[in-house]
Amino acid sequence: MRSLLEEVRHNPLLWLLIIVPIVLVAEKVAPDAHTMLFVLAVLAIVPLAALLSHATEAVAARTGDAIGGLLNATLGNLTELIIAVAALHAGQYMLVKASIAGAIVTNALFMLGASFLLGGLRYHVQEYNRATGRLHSALLLMATVALLAPSAVADLASGEAVTQKLSICLAIVLIVAYGLGLVFSLHTHKEFFASEEHGEAEPHWPIGVAVGTLLVVTVLVALVSEIFVESVQKAAETFGMSPAFVGFIIVSIVGAAAEMAVAFSAARKNHLDMSVSIALGSASQIALFVAPALVLLSYVVGPAPMNLQFWPGAVTMVMISAVMATFITNSGRSAWFIGVLLLLVYAIFAVTLYVIPPAAQGAT
């Protein structure tokens, strides 16, 4: 426990943990104060996501590359997954789909762009292993093709039934593709993706502390996520935001806050391999693992099955993000202005989604 307390003491982000009991009490005392509960839930999820990230790294560091990669696949985006499951249970499918698309775009554009910018402000030119960027960008492009397919058959006479069957098949294909990608990058061709060593590895928590933290924090994230989902609709109306904007921007940034902190810190230390791997690796995890897992989970926890038919704007944004990530990472070199370009594209998407929210298309 001493290592956990030391981490909390020296990490200002974790000081926000004090908000967790506050939001749980506030939900009991003032359940109709949706705006206040929404703000408190967002602030509470950020430090919980940071703790989940630390605990996941500690567990993965002691299980070897192959199992560690699988743990990162299943736990690295656990915050987004728990929020999405809570939204699934509430039947808010637009919020779920927006959070999926937004997480992909946020990681591929905002996290990667900010890493390039922050690193480029300190170093004139930075280099990284472009094989990692190529692999994850290719996986993202394939996932985008899978997202296009349900929209293509949506207007058929039996569109709804066909779309649902197609979504199940695509979900299985995407999960298989992600598994094969893990085998390729962590086993058969792992030498392609090796990064340079940068001194000694950072110390991790003891395995007992890490596992205990994972269990406790997962429960807390589930409780706070339920409050978040219940309050988000009323709060979004107060702030003039659509559910799609909240999922695409707010949920994706909050859920990835811990990963962003690690990626930005690594870029400032000239460890750009780590930043690129975190940003694009997380994006491909969501596209190939989290999204199809939610489709399958909707049969268990949702009021009705969810499909993979996104509104056209979401598919377009994901496609553009994947293509930009492919071109940007192909050179294996970066400078600050490349980061600015990625951030500007992300800003264009955010403004467009805020001003022109999507209709209730692809809401199931």
Side-chain angles (χ1 to χ4, degrees):
M1 288 298 295
R2 183 178 300 176
S3 56
L4 177 58
L5 293 175
E6 285 293 321
E7 184 70 33
V8 173
R9 184 183 303 172
H10 293 98
N11 188 343
L13 184 64
L14 297 182
W15 297 349
L16 291 174
L17 286 171
I18 190 62
I19 298 177
V20 176
I22 293 176
V23 69
L24 294 177
V25 172
E27 195 271 337
K28 299 295 183 183
V29 175
D32 295 327
H34 298 292
T35 302
M36 179 189 70
L37 291 175
F38 171 77
V39 174
L40 289 175
V42 168
L43 294 176
I45 289 172
V46 172
L48 290 174
L51 274 182
L52 274 180
S53 178
H54 285 300
T56 301
E57 289 174 8
V59 174
R62 288 165 172 79
T63 55
D65 286 343
I67 300 177
L70 182 59
L71 282 173
N72 278 306
T74 54
L75 300 177
N77 291 297
L78 189 57
T79 307
E80 292 95 330
L81 183 60
I82 293 174
I83 294 174
V85 169
L88 266 183
H89 184 67
Q92 296 192 31
Y93 293 125
M94 175 59 80
L95 179 63
V96 176
K97 293 182 179 182
S99 66
I100 293 171
I104 296 171
V105 173
T106 297
N107 289 321
L109 293 182
F110 183 82
M111 190 189 301
L112 187 63
S115 296
F116 285 166
L117 174 59
L118 293 173
L121 292 176
R122 174 169 287 189
Y123 301 95
H124 185 65
V125 174
Q126 292 181 291
E127 297 186 357
Y128 54 90
N129 186 349
R130 60 184 179 180
T132 301
R134 284 176 170 176
L135 173 65
H136 292 304
S137 298
L139 290 172
L140 274 178
L141 284 172
M142 187 202 68
T144 307
V145 173
L147 296 182
L148 284 170
S151 299
V153 302
D155 296 328
L156 298 177
S158 55
E160 186 174 346
V162 173
T163 301
Q164 200 60 53
K165 291 180 181 178
L166 181 60
S167 296
I168 297 174
C169 295
L170 291 174
I172 296 172
V173 169
L174 290 176
I175 291 175
V176 170
Y178 189 77
L180 293 175
L182 284 178
V183 173
F184 179 74
S185 60
L186 297 174
H187 182 60
T188 63
H189 291 72
K190 61 182 179 181
E191 70 276 6
F192 291 170
F193 307 96
S195 57
E196 295 182 7
E197 295 293 333
H198 297 280
E200 297 182 0
E202 295 184 3
H204 292 287
W205 296 347
I207 189 67
V209 173
V211 172
T213 302
L214 272 177
L215 295 175
V216 173
V217 174
T218 299
V219 173
L220 291 176
V221 170
L223 293 174
V224 175
S225 297
E226 187 119 4
I227 297 172
F228 173 86
V229 170
E230 289 175 356
S231 61
V232 66
Q233 192 167 359
K234 295 287 186 180
E237 293 174 2
T238 302
F239 291 114
M241 300 182 295
S242 67
F245 181 86
V246 172
F248 201 96
I249 304 297
I250 307 298
V251 173
S252 58
I253 290 179
V254 169
E259 292 172 304
M260 287 183 186
V262 177
F264 298 164
S265 175
R268 292 289 289 172
K269 297 175 183 176
N270 203 26
H271 301 178
L272 207 57
D273 278 328
M274 181 182 293
S275 299
V276 173
S277 179
I278 291 173
L280 296 184
S282 184
S284 63
Q285 282 177 16
I286 292 165
L288 297 166
F289 183 79
V290 175
L294 289 171
V295 171
L296 300 179
L297 281 173
S298 68
Y299 284 84
V300 179
V301 301
M306 187 184 81
N307 58 45
L308 281 175
Q309 183 190 352
F310 288 67
W311 73 94
V315 178
T316 303
M317 292 176 188
V318 172
M319 175 65 82
I320 292 173
S321 301
V323 171
M324 287 198 69
T326 302
F327 281 108
I328 291 296
T329 58
N330 192 49
S331 66
R333 307 180 75 197
S334 173
W336 68 268
F337 187 66
I338 296 175
V340 170
L341 291 177
L342 292 175
L343 290 174
L344 288 176
V345 173
Y346 183 79
I348 292 171
F349 288 168
V351 171
T352 302
L353 198 58
Y354 184 82
V355 175
I356 311 175
Q361 189 173 359
T364 60

